[in-house]
Amino acid sequence: MKKRSLLKSVLAVGLAATILAGCGNNAKQEATDKTTIKVATSGTTNPYTTIGDDGENTGYDIDVLKAVFKKLPQYNLEFVTTDFASMFEGTLSGSYDIAVNNFSYSEKRSKSYLYSYPYDEISYVWVTKKGNDSINSFETAAGKTTVVSSGVSITLAEEKWNEENPDKQTNLTYSEQETPVTLQQIADGSVHYVIIDYAMFKAYQDVYNFDLQATDVSPEDTEMIAENNYAYYLFAYDHEQLRDEVNTVLKELKADGTLAALGEKWFGKDTSPDDTQFEKTLN
């Protein structure tokens, strides 16, 4: 009897170990089944994408994307901080799955990238040294110097203006320097102006309090910068399924108030687009 009991005990232990091992393997398999989504971002356009004190990617655009992927458990997010040129090239080549940097819409860019639903409504301003009211349009900026980043909508608009108005060109200095450096240059007079999003300007002014002023970009000049006032995530054309999954959740986040709450957190107000913007994609 004792031998039988001992044998039963050994078999039971062995069976339990086998079951536990199987569970462990299943858990490991579930973990490895997740697909890693590589997200390219600059980390330099506060309050949209920046690096927090803990060294982690954060900002409105980043927080919205993190909220999206909380509802897509089949994926893991991996953020890669890089420059603008690499964001565009890497997304096209497949090195990155999503490009994130408060990108506006342009017809030219839509031929290379898929656009998500919009997740933010933006506005642009001319930033000049305080007291300088002479620069408030592309025309009045003729002969003045600004700092731009290659490939972004504002730069494309200024390049187009220069091409179409050779006698009223602005002087474009290409640089990947961080925005506060440009703002300091405007304050000290070595650069005349820059066009940026108002929320970005306010975020840096709250920290640095530069001797600067902001003037709204007119509707006419805004149309040169972007065909609408919204921001989007960019995907390569072979990532349509991923884009559609992101869109489904973005619509949910609009409906449940998450976008509004994140806008309050980062801007002090709801900047989410109107409900009608979550019905049809741009491409």
Side-chain angles (χ1 to χ4, degrees):
M1 292 294 293
K2 287 183 179 180
K3 287 184 177 179
R4 279 184 188 176
S5 297
L6 179 61
L7 179 60
K8 286 181 179 179
S9 298
V10 171
L11 290 173
V13 170
L15 179 60
T18 300
I19 292 172
L20 288 173
C23 290
N25 287 336
N26 287 339
K28 185 176 181 181
Q29 184 64 41
E30 288 173 6
T32 57
D33 281 347
K34 286 195 173 188
T35 301
T36 296
I37 300 299
K38 288 192 175 183
V39 180
T41 186
S42 71
T44 60
T45 51
N46 186 41
Y48 300 114
T49 167
T50 187
I51 306 298
D53 294 336
D54 59 358
E56 297 294 321
N57 292 87
T58 187
Y60 176 78
D61 292 24
I62 303 299
D63 281 3
V64 170
L65 195 66
K66 288 178 179 177
V68 167
F69 278 88
K70 278 184 179 179
K71 294 195 172 192
L72 297 173
Q74 66 271 35
Y75 298 114
N76 285 320
L77 281 183
E78 178 183 329
F79 290 96
V80 180
T81 303
T82 186
D83 58 41
F84 283 98
S86 295
M87 267 188 277
F88 293 124
E89 294 167 4
T91 303
L92 273 181
S93 69
S95 298
Y96 309 125
D97 301 294
I98 308 175
V100 179
N101 224 84
N102 210 245
F103 292 117
S104 58
Y105 175 78
S106 74
E107 184 177 356
K108 180 180 179 180
R109 192 178 290 157
S110 70
K111 295 176 182 178
S112 300
Y113 306 91
L114 291 174
Y115 279 76
S116 70
Y117 285 148
Y119 55 87
D120 183 34
E121 188 168 1
I122 57 182
S123 59
Y124 299 101
V125 291
W126 298 89
V127 178
T128 58
K129 188 176 178 63
K130 190 173 289 185
N132 181 2
D133 300 320
S134 63
I135 302 175
N136 52 28
S137 67
F138 285 114
E139 185 164 0
T140 58
K144 306 301 182 184
T145 300
T146 186
V147 176
V148 296
S149 298
S150 297
V152 300
S153 296
I154 292 170
T155 304
L156 295 176
E158 300 213 60
E159 290 172 340
K160 183 178 180 181
W161 170 266
N162 282 351
E163 182 180 341
E164 296 178 351
N165 300 273
D167 57 334
K168 297 179 181 178
Q169 291 188 349
T170 58
N171 300 318
L172 306 182
T173 300
Y174 293 84
S175 174
E176 295 300 330
Q177 67 189 24
E178 295 189 9
T179 303
V181 177
T182 300
L183 297 179
Q184 178 61 64
Q185 291 173 333
I186 297 171
D188 66 27
S190 57
V191 170
H192 294 111
Y193 75 93
V194 70
I195 304 172
I196 60 174
D197 176 87
Y198 175 73
M200 190 189 309
F201 170 70
K202 184 178 182 302
Y204 287 121
Q205 278 297 89
D206 288 345
V207 175
Y208 298 103
N209 193 29
F210 292 120
D211 190 31
L212 300 172
Q213 65 184 35
T215 304
D216 291 340
V217 174
S218 70
E220 294 77 17
D221 283 346
T222 296
E223 287 181 7
M224 290 188 62
I225 297 172
E227 296 181 28
N228 62 52
N229 287 355
Y230 299 116
Y232 306 83
Y233 299 123
L234 301 185
F235 305 77
Y237 260 89
D238 61 356
H239 281 44
E240 187 171 1
Q241 179 181 335
L242 178 63
R243 189 275 302 271
D244 291 346
E245 289 173 329
V246 168
N247 277 350
T248 297
V249 179
L250 280 174
K251 187 172 182 176
E252 293 173 3
L253 297 183
K254 168 62 179 178
D256 68 18
T258 299
L259 292 184
L262 290 173
E264 290 287 349
K265 171 186 173 182
W266 286 100
F267 313 124
K269 63 177 181 178
D270 177 8
T271 61
S272 61
D274 185 78
D275 289 350
T276 58
Q277 298 298 318
F278 297 85
E279 299 300 330
K280 186 179 180 181
T281 57
L282 293 172
N283 61 358

